Amino acid sequence: MSTTEATAPEAPDSDEEFQRLGEQLLRTAKSSRARAAVQALVEERTILAVPAVRRALVIDTLDGAQAHFEALSGRQYGLGLDEGQRAFLHLVLSMVGIGITTLASVEDLDDRRLPIMLRAILRLAGNNDIAVGRRL
């Protein structure tokens, strides 16, 4: 099966288009690790909305668009991401076995990204029983 880099649009035209891309990337994920990582990026949204990220991550295959995390890994410092986005991306890449990121880097995540990462870790562990949310 031959793959080539996708020509991702500069920016998703709508929320619907973004959702379609996310669903397609989830559908073509080759492993539970890749599915958990893609789901985290879709939920976080700001990273996947960056055109340079989509150009580095998304490739066209016979099955349609697919996430290619290895390509993204080599370009992560040239994507124009802020520190919070980069910390989140490092953790996502570690979920698919790329890079050496300690779990302690969760302290660099903000209140919005931390629950997303916690849900991703639960998905990775195959646990659907534990809820992640705010304490009352």
Side-chain angles (χ1 to χ4, degrees):
M1 174 165 75
S2 157
T3 61
T4 59
E5 281 194 40
T7 55
E10 285 304 305
D13 292 334
S14 66
D15 287 340
E16 186 178 307
E17 184 178 329
F18 186 88
Q19 274 311 118
R20 266 197 309 266
L21 174 62
E23 289 168 5
Q24 174 62 27
L25 294 177
L26 283 169
R27 212 176 8 263
T28 57
K30 299 276 187 201
S31 67
S32 59
R33 288 177 172 203
R35 271 189 296 286
V38 166
Q39 184 64 44
L41 287 174
V42 169
E43 284 183 45
E44 193 279 342
R45 189 169 178 105
T46 69
I47 296 169
L48 196 53
V50 174
V53 171
R54 285 193 314 282
R55 282 192 300 273
L57 175 67
V58 180
I59 60 171
D60 281 328
T61 69
L62 296 175
D63 296 327
Q66 182 177 354
H68 187 247
F69 288 101
E70 293 81 4
L72 181 62
S73 166
R75 298 181 182 162
Q76 59 188 314
Y77 291 100
L79 299 171
L81 302 177
D82 65 32
E83 285 184 42
Q85 289 171 317
R86 239 186 342 269
F88 188 88
L89 181 58
H90 290 165
L91 285 163
V92 167
L93 289 172
S94 73
M95 292 174 69
V96 292
I98 297 173
I100 301 172
T101 303
T102 65
L103 194 54
S105 64
V106 297
E107 60 190 15
D108 297 328
L109 300 180
D110 59 20
D111 289 346
R112 186 181 71 79
R113 290 185 178 110
L114 181 57
I116 295 169
M117 184 52 60
L118 292 173
R119 286 189 297 272
I121 290 169
L122 290 171
R123 269 187 223 101
L124 189 61
N127 187 316
N128 295 320
D129 297 333
I130 299 174
V132 175
R134 293 210 177 265
R135 288 188 206 175
L136 300 175

